[in-house]
Amino acid sequence: MTTQTFEFQAEVRQLLQLMIHSIYSNKDAFLRELVSNASDALDKLRLEAYRDKDLSVDTDDLHIDLVVDKQARTLTVRDNGIGMTRDDVVRLIGTIAKSGTAEFLRQAREAQDAAGAQDLIGQFGVGFYASFMVADKVTLLTRYAGEAEGTRWESSGEGTYTIEPVADAPQGTSVVLHLKAADAEEQMPDYTEAWKLREVVKRYSDFITHPIRMEVDKPGAGEDEPKTEVQTLNSMKALWARPASEVGEEEYAEFYRHIANDWAEPLKTVQMSAEGTFEYQALLFIPSHAPLDLFMRDANRGIQLYVKRVFIMDDCESLIPEYLRFVKGVVDAADLSLNVSRETLQQDRQIQLIRRRLVKKVLATVKELRGQDAEKYKTFWSEFGKAVKEGLVQDADNRDAILEICSFDSTLDPEQQTSLRGYVERMKDGQQHIYYMTGDNRAVIENSPHLEAFRAKGYEVLVLTDPIDEMWVDAVPEFDGKKFQSIAKGQVDLDEAKDEQKQEQFKDFLGWMSEALKDTVKEVRLSSRLTTSPACVVGDADDLAPNLEKMYRAMGHELPKVKRILELNPDHELVSSLRAAHEARPEDEGLAETASLLHDLAVLAEGGELPDSARFIRLVSGRLRGSLPS
């Protein structure tokens, strides 16, 4: 047969141009694709030799060669794998987006030999055409194992391609790229440079199981020594694919330092795999310290994604939720396309299933850490607790698991944090709620009048001082059947019998104070949470907490003014004296100022900010001046 010329179909030409100019954002991807196809061919040959005992092939030295000719500006990617027949070339190479591997896997599964085909990678049709990003012309020479004649395919990636028989072709496939000129402005590297090829292989194909070799200049060679040597560019060591019993802690630590750019050892290593409808392997690391950019909006996050040991992307955000952004590691999926994009990943069902399993595994690992190694857990929580609590707002599906690994300060012990499980186990008989209070810091909360009755009765209160605490307490209804209750919001019932007589005594006084402070507060009522302070301000059960309101306003959100409730301690001398003064002198305008000062003192007592501090200072100064002898 002589050389034959074929035309690409019109839609194929359009798709080819779109792929060359749009699908790949990094031109280095062409080498990843060709190496993946070569590795695929080597695995096919090994499996075919196992299945066909009459096939006379040598599988002892399966490898991939990169051959550079600087003068001719060509780069050849060559393998001694199974090769292709002429029909394969026409069917697979001539038709873009046709998957040779997918077809091979289908046949293998039909033959009930899927186990031997598990290590196949790549989709030959689409990836091969990435070559035209960097080459003006591509020549493919191939011979199928066991056949006498080979086939040459050649094209400039435009309208046509040629196919011709070749009598003396070696077994396997070689792809010769006639490279475009290097151009920094067009982001076109010089792919005849050994350092560049070494860099690309190390980044994308380091864990391919077959050696990738290249002849390079030998440094310091004498006159009588060879000037070049053959180097293997890839390590072929995919730690995640090896049994944990065969990998030492130092190997894991070194791999972690490599992928995380960290100087320290990881706090915990997590290895997992899945088989069945979809297959993947994962090797994850929990760092021992938080990165400096943990809470920066533009920080890089995500897990490295591989497909059959071929690197796809560095920070696959779709694999891990934002609240676990500190987790580093690798996921190696079996059935994803090599040409996957970030947008496709977000919708990919397999990626979503992997993500769910990774999250559950990480949370379960932290829970085990809490029970088995208290010091490591303490390190984890001090470094990453604030980020993990974001998941209480973001991830409703795993909220219970997150709550199980959380720790909180409480009034029980100023030095030791508590788990929610521990809090519930210590709850008093008849206690129905998990009590908490949010604030800027522990000192403000511990000195708050809201705590007085709880402290007097021995109730434990969670002390929540992180900004995220203001948000998750509204999003999480309960833990282990116990509802969360803010001691600074809503009505608090501490099983005290309501003093109806006292309510009646203060009825007119409360009405007068409510009217006098109507521009400031929603209501004035008697309190059951105060023992020593005269007053405190509380919110309605559904009101925004003051700190959360402040956060939203700082972010530019327009919010309606939130009026709070002023609660009075009827047994405090200041409150009882003010009530008596009002009964005696109801028209005294100075009493309204006293009521305003009482409210302002309550705001300051909880660490709040006064709306008009100048007025407060003026009133206090006047009272102080009036109390001094003339």
Side-chain angles (χ1 to χ4, degrees), residues 161-226:
Y161 58 91
T162 62
I163 295 180
E164 63 178 317
V166 178
D168 56 350
Q171 175 196 304
T173 300
S174 64
V175 180
V176 183
L177 308 177
H178 302 264
L179 295 168
K180 298 176 182 179
D183 189 333
E185 291 186 2
E186 295 294 327
Q187 296 183 326
M188 177 66 70
D190 188 350
Y191 290 106
T192 65
E193 293 289 348
W195 69 266
K196 180 60 181 178
L197 297 176
R198 187 181 290 109
E199 174 193 88
V200 176
V201 169
K202 188 70 176 176
R203 177 170 176 79
Y204 289 102
S205 307
D206 193 44
F207 304 117
I208 292 287
T209 53
H210 304 287
I212 304 169
R213 300 171 181 166
M214 182 173 64
E215 189 176 87
V216 297
D217 293 335
K218 188 176 182 179
E223 292 185 5
D224 298 330
E225 297 181 71

Side-chain angles (χ1 to χ4, degrees), residues 543-544 549-550 552-553 557-564:
D543 283 350
L544 280 179
E549 181 184 356
K550 191 189 306 179
Y552 281 128
R553 293 190 189 281
H557 294 284
E558 293 293 332
L559 298 174
K561 183 179 179 181
V562 178
K563 289 185 179 181
R564 304 178 71 199

Side-chain angles (χ1 to χ4, degrees), residues 268 364-377:
K268 187 68 176 177
T365 299
V366 175
K367 186 177 180 180
E368 290 175 7
L369 199 65
R370 179 174 213 153
Q372 299 172 3
D373 194 329
E375 283 304 311
K376 280 192 174 181
Y377 167 79

